[in-house]
Amino acid sequence: MPPKITTELLRQLRQAMKNSKYITEPIQAYIVPSGDAHQSEYIAPCDCRREFISGFTGSAGTAIITEKHAAIWTDGRYFLQAAQQMDKNWTLMKMGLKETPSQEDWLLSVLPEGSKVGVDPWIIPADQWKHMSKALTSAGHSLVPVQENLIDPFWTDRSARPSSPLIVLGLNYTGITWQDKITSLRTKMADRKITWFVITALDEIAWLFNLRGADIEYNPVFFAYAIIGRSSIRLFINGDCMADPAVKEHLQLNSSSKPEFEVQVLPYESILTELQGVCGGLGPKEKVWISDKASFALTEAIPKIHRSLTPSTPICLAKAVKNATEIEGMRRAHIKDAVALCELFAWLDKEVPKGTVTEISSADKAEELRRQQKDFVDLSFPTISAVGPNGAIIHYSPLPETNRTLSLNELYLIDSGAQFKDGTTDVTRTVHFGTPTAYEKECFTYVLKGHIAVSAAVFPNGTKGHLLDSFARSALWESGLDYLHGTGHGVGCFLNVHEGPCGISYKTFADEPLEAGMIVSDEPGFYEDGSFGIRIENVVLVVPAKPKYNYRNRGSLTFEPLTLVPIQVKMMNTDMLTQKERDWVDEYHKQCREVVGAELERQGRHAALQWLIRETQPIA
């Protein structure tokens, strides 16, 4: 697909940067982050401003436009994709490489003296504003808030903000009422002497109120803000979402609830004026809690003396540690997901030799099979269905013009997942339908060894996920290989497929320690540009471990795989595996056969059951 031609769009933006209709004085650079006013990773079409101006569709990246330059910073998942999607007006800045300047350093190198750099204060997180502002100020420039987004005036076909009906989640899915969650939150507020808590992250609001929506594709969230006081609850949301009587009943809007659980529903757009009102009535020692990743606009509305910033909110932490009901739901969701994938691979084994299956038709088949499972709501992200060289594009999504046919002589990587009412799934398998080369098997086996090293790791309580990242890379590193993405991310429960504050990545040391009940992915990979991609991904649950000793009584943890889909033995060079690793594969496959086999039997899916039995034979 040819890149988007952006010459005219950039001309219009540069005009807006000087136009007194939008700004009090001209700016010399304009920053276009990829998020929305809630700092979401995946965003609604109306918020895709960086994609509109640049043509780059990846979920992460920041564009900066000056009078003469336009550049985009993105991470290793998107290097190939960004290079293909952007025209010659743009420079790709590959984050994480030694030679790539930071956004601040680059701006300092291209800006004339005393420049003003503009950004929409609703879209830049407060922590990024602080960092950028400090760097610019120290060099004689300034970062200025531009209240009206400069992309919107010439984005003529921009869609309206979605406002989809809400879904009420019962106790059988959540395990705890929203009132109990509020009580627990207020206890944490009292412990920290906090009077008000401002919630801006969409998944935190959905989790707190046991509600789900469909305002952002693949993410069951809805546009809202909330302000929780010691005895009041304000929910800022468009009224149309609330039309269903079940939602009103759930929030007890029409019945007399206890005063401390009375929800005041206010217009979505009124958050700033309401917050300013709250702050106007604060006593000298009263504090307002807000995430340091909330927008600069809202953070700035809270006077510094009353502002209490937190890198991970108490809701973010509570949401990450799943309760027994949520864990049970996640187990069920992964069994249903495995049923669909066993069916898919059994079908592919039969159809691929005919030469009629493409990346798109395979992804469509996976969705069709998932839809047959109970409580299916949506996919959890766009399916990555990639043959041969397309597999080397880490977040590849097939389009008609890039769509390759699955064959007997190229690797096939499929990374896919679903939103079920009882849980969220995310799984990657890499397979070969013919005979893999010795090099493909060698690389696959290094990735498998890394996957097992993380999955079987035993580590002390209080360990942060980033310390486990090198476990996944060790076998690759020994052979001079590596991959340019993190090893794992937190996974929500019928919520965002990527959630904080835990993960397994060399990119952050700000992650929270892993604890029992957290759910993360384990997904090392290897990518040979122009040839193939390999990734093996399971979603795993953090569980207590019982090693021989218990140093200083601190206890140990390990992982239990929730994903139960066979890993293709044909792709393994089994001579490279230790006995311990072979035992892990055999034990994992035994679990797949017993747990998923029973469900395939129950659902009468016999062809998939036969495939499962064949694919889970012990390593010879």
Side-chain angles (χ1 to χ4, degrees):
M1 187 182 186
K4 178 174 181 171
I5 305 301
T6 61
T7 309
E8 176 57 20
L9 296 176
L10 288 168
R11 187 190 66 77
Q12 290 180 283
L13 176 58
R14 285 170 176 140
Q15 274 190 329
M17 285 159 62
K18 295 180 275 204
N19 190 335
S20 58
K21 190 171 156 190
Y22 309 118
I23 45 177
T24 46
E25 46 188 319
I27 54 174
Q28 285 67 50
Y30 189 59
I31 302 173
V32 186
S34 68
D36 58 14
H38 303 269
Q39 287 62 55
S40 312
E41 178 187 12
Y42 292 98
I43 55 180
C46 61
D47 290 315
C48 295
R49 296 181 178 95
R50 190 221 58 222
E51 178 185 330
F52 172 74
I53 195 71
S54 69
F56 167 53
T57 62
S59 66
T62 299
I64 304 184
I65 298 91
T66 67
E67 194 50 53
K68 294 196 173 73
H69 307 276
I72 276 201
W73 281 256
T74 191
D75 62 66
R77 294 172 297 171
Y78 292 118
F79 291 169
L80 286 176
Q81 182 181 330
Q84 289 171 4
Q85 291 182 326
M86 298 191 309
D87 70 7
K88 63 182 188 320
N89 288 305
W90 291 87
T91 303
L92 173 60
M93 298 292 186
K94 298 180 175 181
M95 289 163 70
L97 302 191
K98 276 204 307 283
E99 63 274 19
T100 304
S102 67
Q103 294 168 28
E104 296 80 6
D105 288 347
W106 181 79
L107 277 168
L108 300 188
S109 74
V110 300
L111 287 175
E113 272 182 38
S115 288
K116 289 186 164 49
V117 177
V119 65
D120 181 337
W122 287 92
I123 295 177
I124 187 167
D127 59 348
Q128 282 181 27
W129 173 285
K130 187 179 171 185
H131 182 74
M132 175 70 80
S133 182
K134 191 175 168 187
L136 290 172
T137 306
S138 67
H141 307 294
S142 57
L143 186 61
V144 297
V146 178
Q147 294 303 335
E148 182 169 353
N149 194 291
L150 295 185
I151 305 274
D152 297 353
F154 59 91
W155 186 1
T156 48
D157 59 351
R158 181 172 171 240
S159 55
R161 185 160 302 286
S163 181
S164 54
L166 300 182
I167 304 168
V168 172
L169 274 195
L171 263 182
N172 53 326
Y173 294 114
T174 65
I176 176 168
T177 65
W178 66 263
Q179 290 92 337
D180 285 344
K181 289 179 180 180
I182 295 266
T183 301
S184 159
L185 173 61
R186 283 178 172 150
T187 302
K188 287 173 185 144
M189 287 166 65
D191 291 347
R192 293 279 299 269
K193 301 188 168 42
I194 299 287
T195 314
W196 299 94
F197 176 37
V198 183
I199 314 170
T200 62
L202 301 183
D203 62 334
E204 293 187 14
I205 294 166
W207 180 86
L208 181 65
F209 289 102
N210 290 343
L211 291 168
R212 299 293 186 267
D215 285 355
I216 295 180
E217 201 176 8
Y218 313 114
N219 299 263
V221 295
F222 49 92
F223 284 105
Y225 294 98
I227 300 179
I228 311 296
R230 295 269 181 90
S231 59
S232 68
I233 302 167
R234 301 180 203 194
L235 180 62
F236 301 84
I237 188 167
N238 283 335
D240 315 351
C241 315
M242 312 278 284
D244 184 352
V247 174
K248 291 179 174 154
E249 190 183 328
H250 173 73
L251 293 175
Q252 300 182 316
L253 297 184
N254 301 330
S255 54
S256 53
S257 54
K258 291 181 182 167
E260 67 269 27
F261 295 124
E262 203 173 293
V263 180
Q264 190 184 356
V265 178
L266 297 155
Y268 174 74
E269 289 76 17
S270 67
I271 176 69
L272 185 60
T273 46
E274 286 287 327
L275 179 57
Q276 286 165 336
V278 162
C279 292
L282 289 171
K285 289 196 172 156
E286 292 191 307
K287 292 280 185 191
V288 180
W289 220 352
I290 191 167
S291 165
D292 66 1
K293 287 161 201 67
S295 71
F296 176 72
L298 285 182
T299 308
E300 202 57 10
I302 306 165
K304 220 169 193 170
I305 188 169
H306 298 297
R307 199 187 298 161
S308 180
L309 296 174
T310 173
S312 297
T313 72
I315 298 181
C316 184
L317 288 163
K319 174 167 60 63
V321 181
K322 279 44 177 184
N323 63 45
T325 305
E326 290 172 320
I327 290 169
E328 210 32 63
M330 286 292 266
R331 284 191 211 284
R332 281 197 308 273
H334 282 84
I335 293 168
K336 291 183 285 195
D337 210 54
V339 164
L341 286 176
C342 288
E343 282 222 285
L344 174 74
F345 287 122
W347 179 80
L348 287 173
D349 270 359
K350 205 164 84 253
E351 298 298 321
V352 168
K354 299 176 187 171
T356 54
V357 182
T358 66
E359 292 169 336
I360 291 176
S361 67
S362 178
D364 290 347
K365 185 71 176 176
E367 180 173 352
E368 175 199 317
L369 293 167
R370 281 185 164 109
R371 280 187 183 279
Q372 294 169 15
Q373 295 300 314
K374 184 178 179 235
D375 277 346
F376 174 91
V377 177
D378 196 0
L379 299 182
S380 54
F381 57 94
T383 299
I384 299 168
S385 172
V387 172
N390 289 341
I393 302 170
I394 297 168
H395 269 209
Y396 171 80
S397 213
L399 297 165
E401 53 273 26
T402 60
N403 192 22
R404 287 174 78 93
T405 301
L406 278 67
S407 75
L408 299 180
N409 43 29
E410 286 186 302
L411 282 181
Y412 176 58
L413 181 156
I414 180 164
D415 182 348
S416 60
Q419 295 286 6
F420 297 100
K421 268 193 172 176
D422 42 12
T424 302
T425 68
D426 179 4
V427 46
T428 310
R429 290 295 180 264
T430 308
V431 295
H432 204 296
F433 299 102
T435 307
T437 66
Y439 179 59
E440 287 167 341
K441 288 175 72 165
E442 181 187 1
C443 294
F444 183 93
T445 310
Y446 293 140
V447 173
L448 174 65
K449 286 165 89 71
H451 178 93
I452 295 170
V454 170
S455 196
V458 175
F459 48 94
N461 258 313
T463 300
K464 290 187 170 194
H466 71 258
L467 290 176
L468 304 179
D469 183 77
S470 53
F471 287 34
R473 297 176 198 272
S474 178
L476 285 159
W477 282 350
E478 274 178 34
S479 297
L481 303 176
D482 201 359
Y483 52 96
L484 293 175
H485 58 75
T487 299
H489 54 82
V491 181
C493 188
F494 184 30
L495 263 178
N496 297 355
V497 74
H498 293 165
E499 83 169 13
C502 54
I504 302 172
S505 179
Y506 64 96
K507 294 178 185 181
T508 176
F509 301 118
D511 50 329
E512 288 292 326
L514 293 167
E515 52 182 293
M518 285 182 169
I519 292 177
V520 295
S521 68
D522 170 11
E523 50 180 313
F526 174 69
Y527 310 89
E528 182 87 20
D529 286 359
S531 297
F532 61 80
I534 293 165
R535 188 160 60 253
I536 302 169
E537 175 185 23
N538 281 352
V539 168
V540 296
L541 169 70
V542 183
V543 293
K546 291 270 188 286
K548 188 175 176 185
Y549 301 111
N550 186 8
Y551 179 69
R552 295 206 166 178
N553 223 22
R554 63 183 177 181
S556 294
L557 300 168
T558 186
F559 296 112
E560 176 200 315
L562 295 177
T563 305
L564 295 173
V565 179
I567 300 166
Q568 195 179 44
V569 175
K570 174 173 44 171
M571 279 298 300
M572 302 173 196
N573 178 343
T574 53
D575 293 342
M576 290 167 57
L577 297 175
T578 63
Q579 192 54 50
K580 208 171 165 186
E581 289 165 339
R582 286 160 173 254
D583 292 346
W584 184 94
V585 172
D586 285 345
E587 183 50 46
Y588 177 69
H589 280 160
K590 179 170 173 267
Q591 206 188 343
C592 293
R593 192 165 59 248
E594 288 172 359
V595 176
V596 182
E599 185 61 19
L600 284 166
E601 186 77 68
R602 197 185 67 75
Q603 293 189 22
R605 299 177 188 268
H606 299 298
L609 179 58
Q610 291 314 307
W611 177 88
L612 174 68
I613 291 165
R614 271 199 317 277
E615 292 291 319
T616 54
Q617 293 305 310
I619 293 174

